[in-house]
mmCIF file of all heavy atoms in Angstrom:
data_model
loop_
_atom_site.group_PDB
_atom_site.id
_atom_site.type_symbol
_atom_site.label_atom_id
_atom_site.label_comp_id
_atom_site.label_asym_id
_atom_site.label_seq_id
_atom_site.Cartn_x
_atom_site.Cartn_y
_atom_site.Cartn_z
ATOM 1 N N MET X 1 -24.348 -15.619 20.880
ATOM 2 C CA MET X 1 -24.330 -14.288 20.280
ATOM 3 C C MET X 1 -24.748 -14.378 18.822
ATOM 4 O O MET X 1 -24.322 -13.607 18.017
ATOM 5 C CB MET X 1 -22.927 -13.727 20.434
ATOM 6 C CG MET X 1 -22.725 -12.385 19.835
ATOM 7 S SD MET X 1 -22.668 -11.235 21.135
ATOM 8 C CE MET X 1 -22.767 -9.750 20.261
ATOM 9 N N MET X 5 -27.343 -10.099 13.254
ATOM 10 C CA MET X 5 -25.992 -9.970 12.699
ATOM 11 C C MET X 5 -25.512 -8.522 12.684
ATOM 12 O O MET X 5 -24.326 -8.260 12.865
ATOM 13 C CB MET X 5 -25.946 -10.556 11.293
ATOM 14 C CG MET X 5 -26.060 -12.053 11.275
ATOM 15 S SD MET X 5 -25.889 -12.749 9.636
ATOM 16 C CE MET X 5 -27.490 -12.405 8.952
ATOM 17 N N GLN X 7 -26.235 -6.115 14.860
ATOM 18 C CA GLN X 7 -25.823 -5.759 16.215
ATOM 19 C C GLN X 7 -24.489 -6.424 16.551
ATOM 20 O O GLN X 7 -23.604 -5.794 17.131
ATOM 21 C CB GLN X 7 -26.889 -6.180 17.220
ATOM 22 C CG GLN X 7 -26.535 -5.841 18.643
ATOM 23 C CD GLN X 7 -27.576 -6.345 19.628
ATOM 24 O OE1 GLN X 7 -28.573 -6.938 19.237
ATOM 25 N NE2 GLN X 7 -27.332 -6.101 20.897
ATOM 26 N N ARG X 8 -24.346 -7.706 16.194
ATOM 27 C CA ARG X 8 -23.113 -8.430 16.469
ATOM 28 C C ARG X 8 -21.931 -7.764 15.762
ATOM 29 O O ARG X 8 -20.870 -7.561 16.358
ATOM 30 C CB ARG X 8 -23.242 -9.884 16.015
ATOM 31 C CG ARG X 8 -22.009 -10.715 16.332
ATOM 32 C CD ARG X 8 -22.132 -12.127 15.855
ATOM 33 N NE ARG X 8 -22.145 -12.156 14.398
ATOM 34 C CZ ARG X 8 -22.684 -13.126 13.672
ATOM 35 N NH1 ARG X 8 -23.281 -14.134 14.252
ATOM 36 N NH2 ARG X 8 -22.642 -13.084 12.359
ATOM 37 N N ALA X 9 -22.101 -7.400 14.498
ATOM 38 C CA ALA X 9 -21.025 -6.763 13.738
ATOM 39 C C ALA X 9 -20.635 -5.430 14.371
ATOM 40 O O ALA X 9 -19.438 -5.109 14.474
ATOM 41 C CB ALA X 9 -21.451 -6.565 12.290
ATOM 42 N N CYS X 10 -21.617 -4.665 14.823
ATOM 43 C CA CYS X 10 -21.319 -3.380 15.474
ATOM 44 C C CYS X 10 -20.568 -3.586 16.786
ATOM 45 O O CYS X 10 -19.609 -2.861 17.072
ATOM 46 C CB CYS X 10 -22.606 -2.596 15.730
ATOM 47 S SG CYS X 10 -23.311 -1.884 14.252
ATOM 48 N N GLU X 11 -20.989 -4.571 17.567
ATOM 49 C CA GLU X 11 -20.315 -4.839 18.833
ATOM 50 C C GLU X 11 -18.874 -5.302 18.606
ATOM 51 O O GLU X 11 -17.968 -4.895 19.340
ATOM 52 C CB GLU X 11 -21.094 -5.868 19.638
ATOM 53 C CG GLU X 11 -22.397 -5.333 20.192
ATOM 54 C CD GLU X 11 -23.234 -6.385 20.893
ATOM 55 O OE1 GLU X 11 -22.774 -7.541 21.029
ATOM 56 O OE2 GLU X 11 -24.353 -6.046 21.309
ATOM 57 N N GLU X 12 -18.673 -6.125 17.598
ATOM 58 C CA GLU X 12 -17.304 -6.569 17.275
ATOM 59 C C GLU X 12 -16.449 -5.387 16.859
ATOM 60 O O GLU X 12 -15.295 -5.252 17.300
ATOM 61 C CB GLU X 12 -17.338 -7.599 16.142
ATOM 62 C CG GLU X 12 -17.983 -8.900 16.509
ATOM 63 C CD GLU X 12 -18.359 -9.739 15.306
ATOM 64 O OE1 GLU X 12 -18.071 -9.339 14.158
ATOM 65 O OE2 GLU X 12 -18.948 -10.814 15.513
ATOM 66 N N ALA X 13 -17.001 -4.515 16.034
ATOM 67 C CA ALA X 13 -16.258 -3.350 15.560
ATOM 68 C C ALA X 13 -15.899 -2.422 16.709
ATOM 69 O O ALA X 13 -14.762 -1.948 16.809
ATOM 70 C CB ALA X 13 -17.064 -2.608 14.509
ATOM 71 N N VAL X 14 -16.848 -2.174 17.596
ATOM 72 C CA VAL X 14 -16.593 -1.299 18.745
ATOM 73 C C VAL X 14 -15.504 -1.912 19.630
ATOM 74 O O VAL X 14 -14.599 -1.210 20.100
ATOM 75 C CB VAL X 14 -17.890 -1.042 19.547
ATOM 76 C CG1 VAL X 14 -17.599 -0.397 20.883
ATOM 77 C CG2 VAL X 14 -18.842 -0.198 18.723
ATOM 78 N N TYR X 15 -15.557 -3.218 19.833
ATOM 79 C CA TYR X 15 -14.535 -3.884 20.636
ATOM 80 C C TYR X 15 -13.153 -3.715 20.008
ATOM 81 O O TYR X 15 -12.186 -3.392 20.698
ATOM 82 C CB TYR X 15 -14.861 -5.377 20.791
ATOM 83 C CG TYR X 15 -13.756 -6.143 21.464
ATOM 84 C CD1 TYR X 15 -13.571 -6.057 22.834
ATOM 85 C CD2 TYR X 15 -12.871 -6.928 20.730
ATOM 86 C CE1 TYR X 15 -12.535 -6.729 23.466
ATOM 87 C CE2 TYR X 15 -11.831 -7.604 21.345
ATOM 88 C CZ TYR X 15 -11.675 -7.508 22.709
ATOM 89 O OH TYR X 15 -10.643 -8.163 23.328
ATOM 90 N N ILE X 16 -13.057 -3.933 18.701
ATOM 91 C CA ILE X 16 -11.762 -3.806 18.018
ATOM 92 C C ILE X 16 -11.255 -2.373 18.104
ATOM 93 O O ILE X 16 -10.063 -2.142 18.339
ATOM 94 C CB ILE X 16 -11.875 -4.281 16.555
ATOM 95 C CG1 ILE X 16 -12.062 -5.799 16.519
ATOM 96 C CG2 ILE X 16 -10.636 -3.888 15.754
ATOM 97 C CD1 ILE X 16 -12.374 -6.365 15.150
ATOM 98 N N ILE X 17 -12.144 -1.403 17.934
ATOM 99 C CA ILE X 17 -11.737 0.007 17.989
ATOM 100 C C ILE X 17 -11.269 0.379 19.394
ATOM 101 O O ILE X 17 -10.212 0.996 19.562
ATOM 102 C CB ILE X 17 -12.897 0.920 17.543
ATOM 103 C CG1 ILE X 17 -13.151 0.730 16.042
ATOM 104 C CG2 ILE X 17 -12.609 2.377 17.860
ATOM 105 C CD1 ILE X 17 -14.449 1.333 15.550
ATOM 106 N N ALA X 26 -11.110 -10.462 18.843
ATOM 107 C CA ALA X 26 -12.565 -10.309 18.825
ATOM 108 C C ALA X 26 -13.251 -11.669 18.776
ATOM 109 O O ALA X 26 -14.249 -11.892 19.459
ATOM 110 C CB ALA X 26 -12.999 -9.450 17.641
ATOM 111 N N ALA X 27 -12.715 -12.580 17.987
ATOM 112 C CA ALA X 27 -13.299 -13.922 17.892
ATOM 113 C C ALA X 27 -13.264 -14.616 19.244
ATOM 114 O O ALA X 27 -14.241 -15.244 19.661
ATOM 115 C CB ALA X 27 -12.550 -14.747 16.846
ATOM 116 N N PHE X 30 -15.906 -12.918 21.671
ATOM 117 C CA PHE X 30 -17.318 -13.163 21.376
ATOM 118 C C PHE X 30 -17.650 -14.639 21.183
ATOM 119 O O PHE X 30 -18.803 -14.992 20.978
ATOM 120 C CB PHE X 30 -17.748 -12.359 20.147
ATOM 121 C CG PHE X 30 -17.762 -10.875 20.402
ATOM 122 C CD1 PHE X 30 -16.704 -10.075 20.004
ATOM 123 C CD2 PHE X 30 -18.814 -10.282 21.074
ATOM 124 C CE1 PHE X 30 -16.696 -8.724 20.248
ATOM 125 C CE2 PHE X 30 -18.821 -8.922 21.330
ATOM 126 C CZ PHE X 30 -17.761 -8.132 20.925
ATOM 127 N N ILE X 32 -16.815 -16.731 18.730
ATOM 128 C CA ILE X 32 -17.142 -17.110 17.358
ATOM 129 C C ILE X 32 -15.843 -17.279 16.574
ATOM 130 O O ILE X 32 -14.758 -16.979 17.087
ATOM 131 C CB ILE X 32 -18.050 -16.056 16.683
ATOM 132 C CG1 ILE X 32 -17.429 -14.661 16.766
ATOM 133 C CG2 ILE X 32 -19.427 -16.056 17.300
ATOM 134 C CD1 ILE X 32 -18.244 -13.576 16.118
ATOM 135 N N SER X 33 -15.932 -17.737 15.346
ATOM 136 C CA SER X 33 -14.729 -17.994 14.564
ATOM 137 C C SER X 33 -14.163 -16.693 13.980
ATOM 138 O O SER X 33 -14.877 -15.693 13.828
ATOM 139 C CB SER X 33 -15.030 -18.973 13.427
ATOM 140 O OG SER X 33 -15.824 -18.348 12.441
ATOM 141 N N THR X 36 -16.033 -15.663 10.875
ATOM 142 C CA THR X 36 -17.287 -14.954 11.121
ATOM 143 C C THR X 36 -17.022 -13.490 11.439
ATOM 144 O O THR X 36 -17.701 -12.601 10.915
ATOM 145 C CB THR X 36 -18.070 -15.617 12.270
ATOM 146 O OG1 THR X 36 -18.298 -16.983 11.936
ATOM 147 C CG2 THR X 36 -19.383 -14.922 12.526
ATOM 148 N N VAL X 37 -16.027 -13.226 12.271
ATOM 149 C CA VAL X 37 -15.685 -11.832 12.600
ATOM 150 C C VAL X 37 -15.266 -11.103 11.337
ATOM 151 O O VAL X 37 -15.721 -9.989 11.062
ATOM 152 C CB VAL X 37 -14.558 -11.755 13.657
ATOM 153 C CG1 VAL X 37 -14.104 -10.313 13.864
ATOM 154 C CG2 VAL X 37 -15.015 -12.354 14.961
ATOM 155 N N HIS X 38 -14.417 -11.738 10.541
ATOM 156 C CA HIS X 38 -13.937 -11.103 9.317
ATOM 157 C C HIS X 38 -15.105 -10.803 8.373
ATOM 158 O O HIS X 38 -15.187 -9.716 7.792
ATOM 159 C CB HIS X 38 -12.908 -12.003 8.633
ATOM 160 C CG HIS X 38 -12.330 -11.394 7.405
ATOM 161 N ND1 HIS X 38 -11.466 -10.327 7.449
ATOM 162 C CD2 HIS X 38 -12.514 -11.679 6.096
ATOM 163 C CE1 HIS X 38 -11.147 -9.989 6.212
ATOM 164 N NE2 HIS X 38 -11.771 -10.802 5.381
ATOM 165 N N LYS X 39 -16.009 -11.757 8.213
ATOM 166 C CA LYS X 39 -17.167 -11.548 7.340
ATOM 167 C C LYS X 39 -18.071 -10.442 7.879
ATOM 168 O O LYS X 39 -18.551 -9.597 7.113
ATOM 169 C CB LYS X 39 -17.959 -12.841 7.180
ATOM 170 C CG LYS X 39 -19.075 -12.714 6.183
ATOM 171 C CD LYS X 39 -19.655 -14.055 5.827
ATOM 172 C CE LYS X 39 -20.676 -13.875 4.715
ATOM 173 N NZ LYS X 39 -20.982 -15.116 4.045
ATOM 174 N N ASP X 40 -18.295 -10.437 9.190
ATOM 175 C CA ASP X 40 -19.110 -9.383 9.797
ATOM 176 C C ASP X 40 -18.512 -8.003 9.523
ATOM 177 O O ASP X 40 -19.222 -7.068 9.140
ATOM 178 C CB ASP X 40 -19.224 -9.582 11.310
ATOM 179 C CG ASP X 40 -20.157 -10.714 11.694
ATOM 180 O OD1 ASP X 40 -20.910 -11.200 10.830
ATOM 181 O OD2 ASP X 40 -20.122 -11.115 12.875
ATOM 182 N N ILE X 41 -17.213 -7.893 9.729
ATOM 183 C CA ILE X 41 -16.547 -6.598 9.607
ATOM 184 C C ILE X 41 -16.418 -6.164 8.144
ATOM 185 O O ILE X 41 -16.680 -5.020 7.803
ATOM 186 C CB ILE X 41 -15.146 -6.634 10.269
ATOM 187 C CG1 ILE X 41 -15.256 -6.930 11.770
ATOM 188 C CG2 ILE X 41 -14.384 -5.333 10.028
ATOM 189 C CD1 ILE X 41 -16.001 -5.907 12.572
ATOM 190 N N LEU X 45 -20.843 -5.075 7.890
ATOM 191 C CA LEU X 45 -20.781 -3.754 8.523
ATOM 192 C C LEU X 45 -20.856 -2.592 7.521
ATOM 193 O O LEU X 45 -21.587 -1.633 7.769
ATOM 194 C CB LEU X 45 -19.522 -3.646 9.390
ATOM 195 C CG LEU X 45 -19.420 -2.442 10.311
ATOM 196 C CD1 LEU X 45 -20.565 -2.426 11.307
ATOM 197 C CD2 LEU X 45 -18.095 -2.453 11.042
ATOM 198 N N LEU X 52 -18.525 3.473 11.057
ATOM 199 C CA LEU X 52 -17.915 2.513 11.975
ATOM 200 C C LEU X 52 -16.982 1.578 11.210
ATOM 201 O O LEU X 52 -15.889 1.258 11.676
ATOM 202 C CB LEU X 52 -19.002 1.719 12.708
ATOM 203 C CG LEU X 52 -18.565 0.837 13.865
ATOM 204 C CD1 LEU X 52 -17.906 1.673 14.956
ATOM 205 C CD2 LEU X 52 -19.760 0.093 14.434
ATOM 206 N N VAL X 56 -12.898 0.900 11.949
ATOM 207 C CA VAL X 56 -12.347 -0.420 12.255
ATOM 208 C C VAL X 56 -11.401 -0.872 11.141
ATOM 209 O O VAL X 56 -10.406 -1.537 11.395
ATOM 210 C CB VAL X 56 -13.458 -1.455 12.539
ATOM 211 C CG1 VAL X 56 -14.125 -1.943 11.283
ATOM 212 C CG2 VAL X 56 -12.926 -2.626 13.324
#
Side-chain angles (χ1 to χ4, degrees):
M1 178 105 191
M5 289 184 282
Q7 180 183 359
R8 183 181 67 204
C10 286
E11 289 175 4
E12 293 164 3
V14 168
Y15 173 77
I16 290 172
I17 291 167
F30 292 99
I32 54 179
S33 71
T36 303
V37 173
H38 182 71
K39 186 168 186 163
D40 286 347
I41 298 297
L45 190 61
L52 190 60
V56 77

